[in-house]
Amino acid sequence: MVRTRRELAVFLSKLNVFTKPSFILEQYVSDSEVAAILLWKMMLNSEIEDRIIVDLGAGTGILGIGALLLGAKHVIFVDVDSKMKTEIEKNIEILNENWEIDVEGRWNFVCKDVKEFQLDEKIDKTEVIVLMNPPFGTRNKHLDKVFLEKAMELTHSIYTMHKTSTKVFIEALCRDNNLDIYWLEDTSFPIKNTMQQHTKKIERIEVSLFNLRKNN
Ligand code: SAH
């Protein structure tokens, strides 16, 4: 079992990242340290173990795979890019090799636009927690809002990250939708130079991590 947040971050750093990231789909992998902060908070809040975790915009699966390692009952990886299924499979293999755990049957991949995603009717909604590092909406304006609205439809508790510069917008969205900001932590996120439009080798962006909960 994972004993420390550090140990979790070290493992997450071993996972494969996007090989040919799509600029249009805003594909950038979560930094392993930042992913570990979000996942550790979920765990301390008892919102991973025995839960059904929906990883919206899962990409190569770093967040959902971390949740599997920390004891999630099931993880649903959702991404509009069908290629992510094999990327996630490869990373699940790395999980199996590193921890000698078999997570077969504890996850599935759904290739859908987030707007179209629906939970199976048999799923007990009270067990569902949403975990995501959505597109920040820099390329597709307001895509972060679309992700948040879907998350609200699926669960009472959302773990998410956004550009710190959009915090005011997130706060307003929470007010309008009866969501409490239960936890908020500002940090920064290195984006490696995997996309051509980035000029500097490693660019750091300010990000804020949130746990949002329905207050009604
Ligand atoms: N959550 C991953 C990936 C973040 S990048 C991580 O933390 O590393 C954002 C992801 O959202 C990409 O994989 C991209 O393919 C996906 N995405 C972009 N637009 C989407 C949409 N409309 N519906 C579903 N997924 C989308």
Side-chain angles (χ1 to χ4, degrees):
M1 257 320 275
V2 188
R3 279 158 310 192
T4 61
R5 195 176 88 184
R6 178 87 206 115
E7 203 178 3
L8 175 64
V10 168
F11 164 68
L12 296 176
S13 73
K14 294 181 187 166
L15 298 177
N16 296 322
V17 301
F18 295 102
T19 40
K20 287 186 198 134
S22 155
F23 174 51
I24 307 280
L25 292 175
E26 297 190 39
Q27 290 182 332
Y28 51 87
V29 71
S30 283
D31 172 60
S32 48
E33 296 285 341
V34 174
I37 298 175
L38 193 63
L39 285 158
W40 207 252
K41 178 54 83 176
M42 277 180 93
M43 189 192 67
L44 294 176
N45 286 346
S46 307
E47 294 209 305
I48 293 194
E49 216 178 338
D50 297 327
R51 302 296 186 134
I52 297 165
I53 309 288
V54 182
D55 182 349
L56 288 181
T60 52
I62 181 170
L63 296 177
I65 287 173
L68 281 171
L69 178 58
L70 295 177
K73 179 155 95 178
H74 193 93
V75 174
I76 306 171
F77 296 93
V78 182
D79 206 288
V80 72
D81 182 351
S82 62
K83 293 194 292 301
M84 292 307 124
K85 183 165 186 224
T86 19
E87 298 306 314
I88 293 169
E89 274 164 357
K90 285 192 234 158
N91 277 335
I92 295 264
E93 258 172 52
I94 299 178
L95 172 71
N96 291 341
E97 283 159 15
N98 275 262
W99 297 94
E100 292 178 356
I101 54 169
D102 187 3
V103 293
E104 206 179 313
R106 279 177 54 206
W107 67 278
N108 66 298
F109 176 78
V110 178
C111 182
K112 275 218 161 99
D113 186 300
V114 70
K115 258 193 249 165
E116 314 300 329
F117 175 73
Q118 301 284 351
L119 282 172
D120 191 304
E121 275 172 18
K122 281 175 270 173
I123 291 178
D124 175 0
K125 254 185 143 183
T126 61
E127 290 186 4
V128 175
I129 307 289
V130 171
L131 167 63
M132 62 186 190
N133 168 15
F136 289 153
T138 35
R139 170 79 202 189
N140 299 286
K141 238 178 176 306
H142 307 309
L143 195 52
D144 47 350
K145 183 166 180 242
V146 173
F147 270 72
L148 279 165
E149 281 170 350
K150 175 54 74 176
M152 284 179 230
E153 202 183 296
L154 302 173
T155 183
H156 58 278
S157 183
I158 306 165
Y159 289 80
T160 184
M161 55 178 97
H162 298 272
K163 265 187 144 166
T164 303
S165 59
T166 61
K167 206 196 279 183
V168 176
F169 156 77
I170 309 284
E171 283 164 352
L173 192 104
C174 288
R175 270 195 307 277
D176 294 347
N177 291 281
N178 301 319
L179 283 177
D180 284 333
I181 300 179
Y182 195 78
W183 166 71
L184 164 62
E185 186 165 324
D186 293 333
T187 179
S188 68
F189 193 115
I191 292 201
K192 300 195 176 75
N193 186 21
T194 44
M195 295 186 201
Q196 279 169 349
Q197 77 280 8
H198 291 141
T199 46
K200 278 184 265 169
K201 232 190 157 93
I202 293 184
E203 202 184 330
R204 287 194 85 86
I205 53 164
E206 307 295 311
V207 294
S208 299
L209 312 183
F210 296 86
N211 175 212
L212 309 175
R213 297 196 186 180
K214 282 192 187 147
N215 60 20
N216 58 356

